[in-house]
Amino acid sequence: MLSLFEKVLFILLVIISSTAAYHTFTDMFAIINRGQGSWQLNKLPERLRTGIIALFSQGFILRHRRLTSIFHSMVAWGFIFYLLVNLVDILEGMVPGFYEAIHHNIFANFYRLAADVLTIGILTGTVYLTLRRFTPNPRRKELTFRDNVTVYPHAREAIFTASGIVLTFILLHVGFRFMSVVFLTAIEPDAWQPFATFASGFLPEMSEAALMNGWRVSWWIALGLILIFLPYFPYTKHAHLFMGPLNFMTRRERPALGALHALNFEDEEIEQFGVTYLTDLHKSQLLDAYACIMCNRCQDACPAYHTGKELSPAAVEVNKRYFIKEHSDALAAGEELDIPMMDFVMSASALWACTSCGACVEVCPVGNEPMLDILDMRRGQVLMENEFPHELQSAFEGMERLSNPWGTTESRVEWTKGLDFHVPTVEENPDFEYLFWVGCAGAFDPSAQKVAQAVATILQAAGVSYAILGEQESCTGDSARRAGNEYLFFEMASANIELLNEIGANEKRIVASCPHCFTTIGKEYAELGGHYHVLHHTQMISDLVGKGKLKLNGNKLEPITFHDPCYLGRHNKEYDAPRDALAAAGATLLEMDRSKENSFCCGAGGAQMWKEEEHGDESVNVNRFNEAAATGAQTVAVGCPFCAVMMNDAKQNSEATIEVKDIAQIVAEAL
């Protein structure tokens, strides 16, 4: 029990610490509120549930780096429980008889056991994390950035300093709290605190008065550290403990993982399109910087970083965080900072290296979305600065003038001439059940034309009513949007939506053989007034087989490995339909090490298809093709025309004999 003087002193320190913390926390939220848009507070019960799940699951951190994640979870769960532990410790010191009261009921017994066990868990986990971060080991490179990555001045060193401060705080706070209990159990052993009781046996012979003084000193250090650290909390990466769940709770809803929100080009008062300055970001994107744990898991998953490019999605968040930290007073005060994000977040090479694969978003345990920052910055570069790789000019002009990024004037129905049946257009079959959206690749790319033929063959064999738009079809605008040319996307999308609604496609099913068309029409057109039921062709095949409309011979095929397209898999969580279709065709599937949500990109997304790849150690498509070939499969199955192009390009410079086929082709051969 504390003396009256100590109680008064503690209350005074609590007031001082709380006042300082109030100012630092309000500054933090003032900075976040500088962002655009509004807080997402709809469906509040569902959002609260999401936040609670994120808090206790730690963003399902166990999916990667299992051992490290286990130790991190021990620290996190223990620290969550320590909110109660610290409160109880304060009451024990401040309220007469409280300590005795909580030692004589079953609930208090289980509380003490939980506190004892979790204390050891925190200390063990913190020691492991300290050794992992600060001792030389091969995995330490996960926690750093390559020299070619743009990193905010002094941030490389500051990250380790910040980690050292947080880890030291945890070790001292929890360590001295544990010692306070050790001193008490030396006076009166407690079976419900086995670790503390065991440790008390190592204390030298001490009088009860000396043991109580040991408790008092440990109590003051443990709780004093909390009071000192609390105002500093928002400046540390330890803030992710509560900012991560808050991030999950408040981030914008998206129909697909990487779906973009439309810009309002009809509001004449809007002067900024896309992101140029930090405060052009949405509130949730500023919150990302505070939520970032700096674990670099997103960097590990990034195909651009993995192949030596200048892009690191982790550095995006780190650079935002350290810029905010350096300019926190000005930002909190509402001052305008005319410092473009391109000056401190990333290089131009890094900006245009992103394949928009979504791996960084999928893997992040605190709900950060660095890919969306990158795409918003591309919008700013294209729409406000007119800056973009020169190769994209041809694709933009092709989409604008000829409605396709290939820039060709060829007929969109040329692919139908190789078939022994007629493919009807919507004019010929206005009562269609399925509208086959062929896509620009299916119309103009020679290899993708074979896929279009295979899809039509499957539709014909299933005996369903279908039609194509023919010459009326136009590019969905996906490549324009991912390249930052949102206005061109808006124009193309608006025209497509008008046409699709005119022919009644909103009441039918649309089948797309390209995951990018599948995502754009099915998930992104809705915000512009186009609501459609879109199927990827593998989903259609799986559905038709399940209904008995499509009969496959099911003969055993040679071993096949499947490359999950980013925009079908990660973006839309469709992993089963392609595999079901292959199984129905009789394929023996050999999975690559990186598959499903962990699949590695082919390198063509994010408008990379239309430009030269940024300099690095290796091409993204070569890395992926080599992984496919290493499975020993005779065929790599794809479900995207871009993936097919990239895999075939990589094959040209390889000695591997593995074939590249779309699932539709494999299924058509099995009819």
Short mmCIF file of all heavy atoms in Angstrom, two decimals, residues 306 313 390 421 476 510:
data_model
loop_
_atom_site.label_atom_id
_atom_site.label_comp_id
_atom_site.label_asym_id
_atom_site.label_seq_id
_atom_site.Cartn_x
_atom_site.Cartn_y
_atom_site.Cartn_z
N HIS A 306 10.56 -7.93 -55.07
CA HIS A 306 11.16 -9.27 -55.10
C HIS A 306 12.10 -9.44 -56.29
O HIS A 306 13.04 -10.23 -56.24
CB HIS A 306 10.05 -10.33 -55.16
CG HIS A 306 10.50 -11.71 -54.87
ND1 HIS A 306 10.66 -12.20 -53.58
CD2 HIS A 306 10.85 -12.73 -55.69
CE1 HIS A 306 11.08 -13.45 -53.63
NE2 HIS A 306 11.20 -13.81 -54.89
N PRO A 313 6.36 -1.35 -51.06
CA PRO A 313 5.12 -0.85 -50.47
C PRO A 313 5.30 -0.50 -48.99
O PRO A 313 4.62 0.38 -48.47
CB PRO A 313 4.12 -2.00 -50.66
CG PRO A 313 4.96 -3.20 -50.96
CD PRO A 313 6.20 -2.72 -51.60
N HIS A 390 6.32 7.17 -71.42
CA HIS A 390 5.92 7.53 -72.79
C HIS A 390 5.26 6.38 -73.52
O HIS A 390 4.45 6.59 -74.43
CB HIS A 390 7.13 8.05 -73.56
CG HIS A 390 8.18 7.00 -73.82
ND1 HIS A 390 8.16 6.18 -74.93
CD2 HIS A 390 9.27 6.63 -73.09
CE1 HIS A 390 9.19 5.36 -74.88
NE2 HIS A 390 9.88 5.61 -73.78
N PHE A 421 -19.17 -23.04 -86.33
CA PHE A 421 -20.54 -22.65 -85.99
C PHE A 421 -20.59 -21.12 -85.94
O PHE A 421 -19.55 -20.46 -85.85
CB PHE A 421 -20.99 -23.25 -84.66
CG PHE A 421 -20.09 -22.92 -83.49
CD1 PHE A 421 -20.28 -21.76 -82.75
CD2 PHE A 421 -19.05 -23.77 -83.15
CE1 PHE A 421 -19.44 -21.45 -81.70
CE2 PHE A 421 -18.20 -23.47 -82.09
CZ PHE A 421 -18.40 -22.31 -81.35
N THR A 476 -12.91 -1.96 -71.58
CA THR A 476 -13.54 -1.59 -70.31
C THR A 476 -12.86 -0.38 -69.67
O THR A 476 -13.44 0.28 -68.81
CB THR A 476 -13.46 -2.75 -69.31
OG1 THR A 476 -12.09 -3.05 -69.03
CG2 THR A 476 -14.16 -3.99 -69.85
N ILE A 510 -23.16 -11.88 -67.68
CA ILE A 510 -22.05 -11.53 -68.56
C ILE A 510 -20.89 -12.48 -68.25
O ILE A 510 -20.56 -12.69 -67.08
CB ILE A 510 -21.61 -10.07 -68.35
CG1 ILE A 510 -22.77 -9.12 -68.65
CG2 ILE A 510 -20.40 -9.73 -69.23
CD1 ILE A 510 -22.46 -7.66 -68.35
#
